[in-house]
Structures are given as C-alpha cells and as structure tokens.
Amino acid sequence: MKNIECLFEGIPPINHKKNKDINKDKLIINKKMFSSESVFKIIEHFNWKIMHNNNVRVKIEVQCPIIGDDATLIVFESMLYYLIKNYNFDIQYTFKVNKNLVGYELYKLSNLIKFDNKKIDKLDFMQNYEKNFDISMHHYKKVCINSKENKKSEYLSLLYDDICNFLKNNYINQKYYEALGETIAEIMGNCLEHSDTDTILDIKITRSYKDNNECKFVNVTVISFTKEKFGEKLKQFIFNEEKGFNSSNEIVKDAYNIQSKKFNNNYSIDNFLMVSAFQKNVTTRKNSEGSGGKGLTRFIETLIDLSIDDFCYVMNGNTIIFLKKPFLKLNEDGTIGFNTENNYIENLPNSQIVVNSNKCFNGTIHNLSFILEGGQNE
C-alpha cells in the first residue's frame, strides 16, 4: 500500500505516555468516541518516539464506548502496519468498547480483532495487512493497485461484478447491490485516475434494526493516502487561465470570484475546491468536454434514493463534507450547494455540512454507511 507515511507528515511530536515505567509506554485513549482525533493523538506520540529514537514497547488502551466508523479502524490498522514494518515497534493494543453497538460489529469483522490484547506477531500482522484481496461471508477487502492496467474500464467492470456478487451473497436486494456496485466502482475509478497512490476498498455487512424491523447495515470505506488535495488541480484553471479545460468549469471561476471574498477560518479555498469537485461535469482533465464529476453526482443520487438511513462523509486534507439528505438535492444544471438555498455559486455551504477541520488528513476517505431493507435477494 503506497504512501502510508503521509499519515505521519505534518503531525507534531507529543509525548502522551500515561505511566512511569521506563521500559513500557502506556497510551490511553478515553474519549467518548474512538475517532480520527484518537488516531491523530496516537500518531503524535509515535512521532515523538521516532524523534527521540525511543523504541520501548507500547500498549495502546482504547477506553472509548463508541467506535466512530470503519474508516477510523482501517487508518489505525494502516498506522500500526507502517510502524511495525518500518520501525519494528513492539505494540500491543486492546479495545474496551461497548460490544452492543455496530462499531464493535465492524471491529469483529476486521483483522484487528485477531491481535486484540496480545503481543502482536509482527510477521502475521504484516502478512494479513498486505493481502491485496481478502474476503469472508460478511467482509470484502481489496487493495486496488494504481497502475495503467487498473485504470482501464475492464478492471472497473470486473470490480463491479465482484462487488455485486459479494452483496448478492449477503442477500442485498438487486436494486441495492447494482446501484451500490456501480457507485463504488465509479468512486474507485475516480480515486485511481486522479491520484498516484493505491486505494483500499473495504465493505462490511452486519445486521441492524430500524423501527424494530431487521435491516442490513452496509458499510463501504474507500481510502487512499496522499498529500494531494481534493480538487487541487482546479487551481490551474482558476488562477493560470490554462486552455483546454472543460467549459463547464466556468462555474467554478464564477463561484470563486464571489466566495473568495468570504473565505475565513471556517471556510477556506481548500474547502471550496472540494465542494467544486462535486459539481456535475467539472473536471481537471483537459479536452474532455461534458465529462467529469458524474461519479460523485451518481453517488449522491444513490444516497438519496436508496437508503432508509445513512451516515456518510468524504474527508480530504482539512475538509470534511457530511452527506446528509436535506442538503443533497441536485439542481437541474447538476450543481449542488450543500446549503439550504442549494446555491453553489453565490452562497457558502452550511457550516455543519462542510467542515474545516483543525487537523489535516493526508489522504481521501469516502465512508458510506447505509441501512437498507432486509429480505432475500429478488
């Protein structure tokens, strides 16, 4: 998996040790939720250890009742892999969480459960992580290698079939698995095309309940590690007046001319560029009139039409966009404002939907959690 080292860049070294034993570090995470903030804290501590050449054993104790989402678990596992492989750290971890919540069900389906509260067998841990394909009844993981071959439509078509078969075998109804398969394949294609890094696709399925009815909880996580910001290449169009860009990109320039006067600590140009990448037909590819942005648009349309309930977001750099139904209505021209007015060009997004985080995640996360109707496959 490429570029995991990006996780550690830009994170300050801070000693968070909670014990006095010079031969062992004990790191306690005791917030209400195990989230990206928790992982950042752990990275701060290990950056401190690396800076001071401190190789004593570390025990990480997660005392959070709630596991925020599957993306946090995948980033945590990736972090451990990097530290073990590149620095040979001796690490032990344990999760003391509420076992009645869906977060623990996701944890049980991950490889992390195998090493919980044990001395990690480093070779075993690394071999588990390095599998480019791993599947069980309710868990599908695939590392999509960023290569010229995998950027072709044939690869994404096979990936679509693979995903649909997995979802079908979990008794997801046909209308759901086809839409989800197409959405995931398009997001994966977008990630492979617009970055130089590999991408992790992880799907986990558990039971859930809504209004006392049994449903399917489907969690889809797509993660890549990179320092490239989402929509960063749109700056070339805005500032450099380069020729060859899609004429639909003109709306980005129109929006920038208005919104740049309103940029502040809560809404920056990086936030603006990421929102702009969601607009239909906006693209960073030259000589591609009428294309671009369709995968993200279809993803949003699928969210609206097919989920009973959902918790979804996209995170890149300092920007988090929460994808919530009241703010996901598409205009006839394909624009989306992420605000009550649904006005992309003139109005800033809702501050609870587009969030400027104080921590920078060097990568992109699509975390899509759906509650779908139960029942047998049609």
Side-chain angles (χ1 to χ4, degrees), residues 31-34 63-67 96-99 101:
K31 297 291 185 180
K32 181 179 180 181
M33 180 182 293
F34 184 69
Q63 299 176 359
C64 306
I66 302 170
I67 294 174
K96 298 180 178 180
V97 299
N98 189 330
K99 296 184 179 181
L101 300 178

Side-chain angles (χ1 to χ4, degrees), residues 228-340:
E228 185 173 336
K229 298 290 181 67
F230 212 95
E232 180 74 16
K233 292 179 182 177
L234 285 174
K235 284 184 179 179
Q236 298 175 18
F237 174 75
I238 296 173
F239 298 119
N240 297 339
E241 301 288 342
E242 292 189 24
K243 296 181 179 180
F245 281 104
N246 187 340
S247 61
S248 296
N249 284 14
E250 289 294 334
I251 63 169
V252 177
K253 194 174 293 184
D254 293 341
Y256 175 80
N257 289 336
I258 294 172
Q259 294 191 27
S260 60
K261 301 178 178 66
K262 306 176 185 179
F263 288 164
N264 53 48
N265 291 335
N266 296 318
Y267 190 68
S268 68
I269 186 170
D270 288 336
N271 306 148
F272 168 77
L273 291 172
M274 187 162 167
V275 169
S276 298
F278 273 77
Q279 310 308 312
K280 186 176 180 180
N281 293 331
V282 168
T283 180
T284 57
R285 295 190 297 272
K286 293 185 178 181
N287 303 313
S288 56
E289 195 71 24
S291 65
K294 294 179 181 177
L296 293 171
T297 301
R298 185 169 298 167
F299 157 46
I300 295 170
E301 290 173 335
T302 301
L303 262 174
I304 294 171
D305 294 337
L306 296 183
S307 60
I308 298 174
D309 203 355
D310 56 80
F311 174 70
C312 303
Y313 66 85
V314 182
M315 180 178 185
N316 172 267
N318 294 87
T319 306
I320 306 172
I321 299 182
F322 292 99
L323 304 169
K324 296 185 179 180
K325 284 184 179 180
F327 298 93
L328 290 179
K329 183 179 179 182
L330 297 170
N331 291 313
E332 290 184 3
D333 61 359
T335 59
I336 181 167
F338 296 110
N339 48 45
T340 53

Side-chain angles (χ1 to χ4, degrees), residues 203-221:
I203 308 172
K204 294 184 175 75
I205 300 176
T206 68
R207 286 184 299 177
S208 183
Y209 293 88
K210 185 75 173 178
D211 299 326
N212 296 320
N213 295 316
E214 184 173 325
C215 306
K216 296 284 187 181
F217 181 86
V218 180
N219 194 95
V220 179
T221 306

Side-chain angles (χ1 to χ4, degrees), residues 72-86:
T72 304
L73 294 174
I74 295 170
V75 173
F76 177 71
E77 184 183 4
S78 300
M79 177 205 71
L80 293 176
Y81 168 79
Y82 178 80
L83 291 168
I84 291 170
K85 182 177 177 63
N86 291 278

Side-chain angles (χ1 to χ4, degrees), residues 191-208:
C191 290
L192 290 171
E193 182 176 356
H194 294 289
S195 73
D196 61 353
T197 189
D198 304 331
T199 301
I200 299 172
L201 167 64
D202 193 284
I203 308 172
K204 294 184 175 75
I205 300 176
T206 68
R207 286 184 299 177
S208 183

